[in-house]
Amino acid sequence: MTDITAPPVREPLVQRINWVEIGPFIALVLLAVVGMLINPDFLSATNITNVVTRSAFIAIIAVGATFVISSGGLDLSVGSMAAFVTGIMIMFMNALVPSMGANAIIAGMALVLCVGALAGLFNGLIVTVGKIEPFIVTLGTMGIFRALITFMSDGGTIPIDRSLRDPFRPVYYGNLAGIPIPILVSLAVAVVGAFILYRTKFGRRCAAVGANEEVARFSGISVGRVRTIAFVIQGICVAIAAICYVPRLGAATPTTGLLWELQVITAVVIGGTALRGGKGRIWGTIAGAVILEMIANLMVLSDFISEYLVAAVQGVIIIIAMLVQRFSKQP
């Protein structure tokens, strides 16, 4: 009797490449090549350092947004929140200068982290307890935070006290071993974020909630708690970005953080995080933030497209990124 068996299945010598994961880094390399061809100064150490430093604000906030989006949420209030917490921080530090001097900076940093966490908690509780779509909630709080900073500044600016400018200056303009402080801060935030998202139960629960809320709930996961914590993380990241931002301009205005929400969401999406939730990629998000700043820098160094169209280009990028995700077979 002839033994008929199916031939053994051969394992592919090369595993399928996950273009969603490596795509942002390939884009970085391609942009660097294009930039060098357009302007030889693009890849100078000074320009690259400037680009990465300027991207730090968006990168830090986008790390928090990765948690919110991977858990199935969306936060449109990050730009307005950044303006609001920055104004609170500056006003608090200015009030403490007579009694604390330069130590007011430390107190201001502690306060802004608390305010950022509370702002995120505010968003999270309305979404989870009120059972309202995150898009609607954060659209509302975007208006609230922007109105509050406008009221606080009386439509003008809230400048930092002159005596605090020099002590605070190194937070943005300083460096450690030649690396600018904002870059180090953004890397530290990314490392912590990656550890939480990839190595902890909370990170796995974020992905589970974003992938399928009902299945996650039946598995015993507190969906409301996970999403609320994700919004709190977002608020803390906004506060950290505000700490790095204050020394750069030395003031908060009603236009501080304008359109940051667009840049943050774009960085997260082109970094490979699915806008529908279920999968977050921290390092892709960091690459996405750098990509956006590199494109803006290229627009300044070249005459192909007006630099005033940066927001339009970013809008096109997020649409293209969503189309790629829509038709991609990657999860």
Side-chain angles (χ1 to χ4, degrees):
M1 184 174 180
T2 305
D3 183 19
I4 302 175
T5 58
V9 178
R10 293 184 178 181
E11 292 292 331
L13 294 178
V14 180
Q15 294 296 323
R16 186 178 180 182
I17 297 174
N18 191 330
W19 293 105
V20 175
E21 288 188 356
I22 68 172
F25 304 99
I26 294 175
L28 274 176
V29 175
L30 292 177
L31 275 173
V33 173
V34 171
M36 182 181 64
L37 295 175
I38 293 175
N39 191 320
D41 292 332
F42 178 77
L43 287 183
S44 67
T46 301
N47 188 61
I48 291 299
T49 300
N50 180 56
V51 166
V52 180
T53 301
R54 287 172 63 90
S55 71
F57 309 120
I58 298 302
I60 293 169
I61 298 174
V63 169
T66 303
F67 283 90
V68 173
I69 292 175
S70 65
S71 66
L74 188 68
D75 193 344
L76 298 177
S77 70
V78 292
S80 299
M81 187 192 298
F84 172 66
V85 300
T86 299
I88 292 288
M89 178 185 182
I90 292 176
M91 292 176 68
F92 183 71
M93 290 191 301
N94 290 350
L96 292 181
V97 166
S99 59
M100 298 185 65
N103 290 328
I105 294 174
I106 304 299
M109 290 179 177
L111 175 73
V112 76
L113 289 172
C114 294
V115 173
L118 289 174
L121 179 63
F122 180 65
N123 279 339
L125 288 178
I126 297 177
V127 169
T128 56
V129 177
K131 299 186 184 304
I132 306 174
E133 286 295 323
F135 175 85
I136 301 299
V137 171
T138 57
L139 187 63
T141 55
M142 177 175 69
I144 292 172
F145 292 138
R146 188 66 66 185
L148 286 174
I149 183 61
T150 304
F151 172 76
M152 289 158 50
S153 64
D154 197 22
T157 64
I158 305 176
I160 190 172
D161 190 276
R162 289 183 177 275
S163 64
L164 297 178
R165 291 183 181 179
D166 286 340
F168 210 160
R169 184 179 174 83
V171 174
Y172 180 79
Y173 294 100
N175 66 80
L176 184 63
I179 304 174
I181 298 298
I183 296 178
L184 294 174
V185 173
S186 63
L187 288 175
V189 170
V191 168
V192 174
F195 177 80
I196 294 173
L197 192 61
Y198 302 144
R199 301 294 183 183
T200 67
K201 287 183 179 180
F202 173 76
R204 291 189 288 273
R205 288 172 179 173
C206 264
V209 169
N212 193 312
E213 180 179 335
E214 291 303 317
V215 171
R217 184 176 285 110
F218 287 133
S219 299
I221 297 174
S222 175
V223 173
R225 182 181 179 185
V226 168
R227 284 188 171 156
T228 300
I229 294 175
F231 275 102
V232 171
I233 292 173
Q234 173 73 96
I236 292 173
C237 287
V238 169
I240 294 172
I243 291 172
C244 294
Y245 180 81
V246 169
R248 181 184 173 192
L249 296 182
T253 72
T255 59
T256 297
L258 195 63
L259 291 181
W260 279 11
E261 55 276 354
L262 173 62
Q263 297 179 58
V264 166
I265 294 172
T266 304
V268 173
V269 172
I270 66 178
T273 296
L275 196 56
R276 65 182 179 273
K279 184 67 176 179
R281 293 182 169 90
I282 295 292
W283 295 109
T285 292
I286 298 297
V290 177
I291 287 171
L292 290 180
E293 192 58 42
M294 286 180 74
I295 291 173
N297 185 254
L298 277 173
M299 291 174 68
V300 172
L301 294 177
S302 69
D303 296 325
F304 296 142
I305 304 176
S306 171
E307 60 185 280
Y308 298 114
L309 293 176
V310 169
V313 172
Q314 291 170 349
V316 170
I317 291 172
I318 192 172
I319 292 172
I320 293 174
M322 286 306 302
L323 288 173
V324 170
Q325 284 195 9
R326 174 67 179 82
F327 295 107
S328 172
K329 293 183 180 180
Q330 296 291 344

